[in-house]
Amino acid sequence: MLSEFDLIAHYFTRPVRDTARIALGVGDDCALTVPTPGMQLAISSDMLVEGRHFFPDAEPRALGHKCLAVNLSDLAAMGARPVAFTLALALPEARAEWLAPFSAGMLALADLHRCELVGGDTTKGPLNICITIFGEVPPGQALRRDAAQPGDDIWISGTLGDARLALAGYRNELALAPDTLSQAAPRMHAPTPRVALGTALCGIARAAIDISDGLVGDLGHILKRSGVGATLCVDDLPAGAALATQERDLRRRFALAGGDDYELCFTAPAERRGDVLAAALQAATPVTRVGRIEAEAGLRLTDAAGAPIALQLASFDHFASP
Amino acid sequence: MLSEFDLIAHYFTRPVRDTARIALGVGDDCALTVPTPGMQLAISSDMLVEGRHFFPDAEPRALGHKCLAVNLSDLAAMGARPVAFTLALALPEARAEWLAPFSAGMLALADLHRCELVGGDTTKGPLNICITIFGEVPPGQALRRDAAQPGDDIWISGTLGDARLALAGYRNELALAPDTLSQAAPRMHAPTPRVALGTALCGIARAAIDISDGLVGDLGHILKRSGVGATLCVDDLPAGAALATQERDLRRRFALAGGDDYELCFTAPAERRGDVLAAALQAATPVTRVGRIEAEAGLRLTDAAGAPIALQLASFDHFASP
């Protein structure tokens, strides 16, 4: 069996690519990075646990991609440009057949975003994957949750609900046609972090969050921290291609409270609509306007005709669910 | 039961202390820090797993201290000044009786080092504690593992082996007198990260590492990465107060390959001995000169008379041990 140090060296140590930004990579007590003068440092950390965030038999290449993607998504939601990340990994055993594709999936996505693996830790234990990611954002331009203002438009990137639809298929909550499941599955296994959109929205959007626990719950964080309310037009929500073929109530529920979407929900002044659309074009990422921030607290849902609708929704809470 | 969000808010969210360095703390997609102009960023990550790094019944206040201490020790070994850290926590259940002392122990040590908790994650799962820590160091002054040169003195901070002695007592590997165990135990439960010494050694010492897996193994990392060898005088090693009362072979073994010491092992040019001692005085941290870096590869051990000695030693490897 490989020793801990062999493991790290073999699958997770590569020569530093960008020596101007990374002064020292994996292999010392600390990594050393060279901050860009005048920029703020954005930091986020996510821990993924087997059986809770992914299935025990998750395909390792996709899992490697997804673990980094959810962290890149946090940078995107802040408008930050990725710089580097650390990986801490608890593994029940050290198997090359798992480590090789896991590291390949993760490092391929890292390369795509010029985000370097600079350090971390490996230990024996129940499978647990913890990534901490660093990015840079110009001072005052970060897209914070507390910055929404009454009158702002509410926008969503991409589409919602296909990741939740795939999960429902795997769990046999729904009987999905094989084609539907195979169409939805990539949204669950290999989310696309909206990094280019996030950085393009700096200076245009006000508040942003990435939708990991479901739109209603995550938008709720913006509303709470900004001290505002909102109205969402439920029928304007962009359903994923697979979800769009399902019946209306399911479509609404999974778009509103699906989870695992990793799209951005952001607000911007109504007079910046043209700039938002230009940023979306520059980032090659579709965006949809779905509602409006209001001074009155609470979240109101309407249908396409503007009539209020009521839905039973549950956001995802890691400790509340069994 | 508390929800995930309540947990985070209650035990781990505090107002930012140093608003000049931390622009945004816990509660958004990312934290935002303000790097000091001209400094490099030092980053390290450690993951601690129940049953491997600590006993299942570990006292939570000491555990909170230790988890942060091992990360601060990595900054110390780089000569970096602490700035901030993130905490990702997998918990089987959310119990206030555990969380309150755990966070109190961790945050007390954080305050001592002006190191702010700026973010993280909480999830349900087998107990796993992952901290990523950030510090700052002047360019070119970081104490790297690859910087040792033939002729350098080898130094050790504090004392060695008492943490390993306490572990041997708990595991009943040795029958220790109750007084001996109670004297050694704090070195295992509440290590002191040598942060002040590490920063004081910047510009004086060449290479450094913190001793977490045992002196021989950790010094071995310096030797390998620097392409050098060394001779250690085993009888010069500063044994802990409890270990010093034990018989010679045990004293030697636990000082050389105990683990969990969290002392610094560093090298410095022989002509800087006065500066090393002045730095140690400034940091109020005892240091002991224990050997010398040599061009010839390999590690040679001698006794007080300079005669070579051979010892069977095993460094700690998380995957090699059962």
Side-chain angles (χ1 to χ4, degrees):
Chain A
M1 191 178 279
L2 291 172
S3 83
E4 175 181 12
F5 298 113
D6 292 340
L7 268 180
I8 295 168
H10 192 72
Y11 290 109
F12 296 109
T13 310
R14 304 187 302 176
V16 167
R17 309 275 165 113
D18 186 344
T19 52
R21 290 198 301 173
I22 313 295
L24 185 62
V26 175
D28 212 306
D29 296 293
C30 295
L32 295 173
T33 72
V34 183
T36 306
M39 299 287 269
Q40 288 186 344
L41 182 72
I43 303 166
S44 182
S45 197
D46 275 293
M47 179 173 266
L48 281 81
V49 175
E50 183 178 72
R52 179 145 291 265
H53 300 93
F54 53 89
F55 290 123
D57 62 352
E59 200 279 302
R61 190 180 172 95
L63 183 61
H65 170 102
K66 184 167 180 174
C67 291
L68 183 59
V70 305
N71 280 275
L72 286 164
S73 184
D74 282 317
L75 289 185
M78 216 71 193
R81 190 176 59 96
V83 173
F85 71 104
T86 60
L87 168 67
L89 197 55
L91 293 170
E93 53 177 347
R95 289 190 305 116
E97 313 88 77
W98 190 90
L99 282 161
F102 177 80
S103 67
M106 182 171 287
L107 295 177
L109 184 64
D111 288 345
L112 199 64
H113 292 280
R114 297 189 56 224
C115 188
E116 295 213 43
L117 176 58
V118 294
D121 198 7
T122 317
T123 184
K124 191 166 179 165
L127 183 55
N128 183 309
I129 303 157
C130 183
I131 288 180
T132 305
I133 198 163
F134 320 94
E136 291 185 336
V137 62
Q141 294 202 11
L143 308 175
R144 298 167 55 141
R145 295 182 182 180
D146 60 5
Q149 292 186 19
D152 279 3
D153 294 325
I154 302 171
W155 299 81
I156 303 287
S157 69
T159 64
L160 299 173
D162 271 4
R164 182 65 182 84
L165 187 67
L167 182 64
Y170 289 121
R171 280 181 176 167
N172 292 313
E173 292 171 17
L174 295 173
L176 295 183
D179 281 2
T180 304
L181 182 55
S182 60
Q183 188 177 29
R187 289 300 304 270
M188 176 179 158
H189 296 305
T192 303
R194 300 302 193 181
V195 173
L197 180 64
T199 53
L201 288 171
C202 275
I204 298 170
R206 283 205 175 106
I209 193 168
D210 73 321
I211 305 171
S212 54
D213 296 339
L215 171 59
V216 167
D218 288 321
L219 175 58
H221 293 305
I222 289 183
L223 303 185
K224 188 174 175 191
R225 287 180 67 97
S226 299
V228 295
T231 294
L232 277 185
C233 177
V234 174
D235 294 323
D236 285 347
L237 293 176
L243 183 61
T245 66
Q246 304 297 304
E247 54 90 19
R248 193 189 69 175
D249 269 16
L250 186 72
R251 225 163 54 220
R252 287 177 167 177
R253 272 202 297 132
F254 281 7
L256 280 167
D260 250 9
D261 295 302
Y262 299 104
E263 297 292 354
L264 297 187
C265 171
F266 60 95
T267 83
E271 61 271 24
R272 303 297 300 268
R273 280 178 199 169
D275 298 322
V276 168
L277 294 172
L281 198 63
Q282 178 197 325
T285 306
V287 296
T288 308
R289 191 156 49 85
V290 298
R292 175 172 281 247
I293 298 292
E294 294 157 348
E296 186 193 347
L299 178 62
R300 291 156 289 280
L301 305 177
T302 67
D303 64 15
I309 57 177
L311 283 172
Q312 282 282 21
L313 301 167
S315 182
F316 192 67
D317 184 316
H318 291 295
F319 282 95
S321 55
Chain B
M1 191 179 278
L2 291 171
S3 84
E4 176 181 10
F5 299 112
D6 291 341
L7 269 180
I8 296 168
H10 193 71
Y11 291 109
F12 296 109
T13 309
R14 305 187 301 177
V16 168
R17 310 274 166 116
D18 186 344
T19 51
R21 291 198 302 172
I22 312 295
L24 184 62
V26 175
D28 212 306
D29 296 292
C30 295
L32 295 173
T33 72
V34 182
T36 306
M39 298 288 270
Q40 288 186 345
L41 182 72
I43 304 167
S44 183
S45 197
D46 275 293
M47 178 174 266
L48 282 82
V49 175
E50 184 179 71
R52 180 144 289 265
H53 301 92
F54 54 90
F55 291 122
D57 61 352
E59 199 279 302
R61 190 181 172 96
L63 183 61
H65 171 102
K66 183 167 182 175
C67 291
L68 183 60
V70 305
N71 279 276
L72 286 164
S73 183
D74 283 317
L75 289 184
M78 216 71 194
R81 190 175 58 97
V83 173
F85 70 104
T86 60
L87 167 68
L89 198 55
L91 293 170
E93 54 177 347
R95 287 190 305 117
E97 313 88 78
W98 190 90
L99 282 161
F102 176 80
S103 68
M106 181 170 287
L107 295 177
L109 184 64
D111 288 345
L112 200 61
H113 291 280
R114 296 190 57 223
C115 189
E116 294 213 41
L117 175 59
V118 294
D121 198 6
T122 317
T123 183
K124 191 167 179 165
L127 184 55
N128 183 309
I129 303 157
C130 183
I131 287 180
T132 305
I133 197 162
F134 321 95
E136 292 185 335
V137 61
Q141 295 202 11
L143 308 175
R144 298 166 57 140
R145 296 182 182 180
D146 61 4
Q149 293 186 19
D152 278 5
D153 294 324
I154 301 171
W155 299 81
I156 303 287
S157 69
T159 64
L160 299 174
D162 270 3
R164 181 66 182 85
L165 186 68
L167 183 64
Y170 289 120
R171 280 182 177 165
N172 293 314
E173 293 170 17
L174 295 172
L176 296 182
D179 280 2
T180 305
L181 182 56
S182 61
Q183 187 177 30
R187 288 300 305 268
M188 176 179 159
H189 296 306
T192 303
R194 300 302 193 180
V195 172
L197 179 64
T199 54
L201 288 170
C202 275
I204 298 169
R206 283 206 175 103
I209 193 168
D210 72 320
I211 306 172
S212 53
D213 296 339
L215 172 59
V216 167
D218 288 321
L219 175 59
H221 293 306
I222 288 183
L223 303 185
K224 187 174 176 191
R225 289 180 68 97
S226 298
V228 294
T231 294
L232 276 185
C233 177
V234 173
D235 293 325
D236 285 348
L237 293 177
L243 182 61
T245 65
Q246 305 296 304
E247 54 90 18
R248 194 189 67 175
D249 269 17
L250 185 73
R251 223 163 55 220
R252 286 177 167 178
R253 272 202 297 131
F254 281 5
L256 280 167
D260 249 12
D261 295 302
Y262 299 103
E263 295 293 353
L264 298 187
C265 170
F266 60 96
T267 83
E271 62 270 24
R272 303 297 300 268
R273 279 177 200 169
D275 297 323
V276 168
L277 295 172
L281 198 63
Q282 179 196 324
T285 307
V287 296
T288 308
R289 191 156 51 83
V290 298
R292 175 172 281 248
I293 298 292
E294 294 156 348
E296 185 193 347
L299 178 61
R300 290 156 290 281
L301 305 178
T302 67
D303 65 15
I309 58 176
L311 283 172
Q312 283 281 23
L313 301 167
S315 182
F316 193 66
D317 184 316
H318 290 294
F319 281 95
S321 56

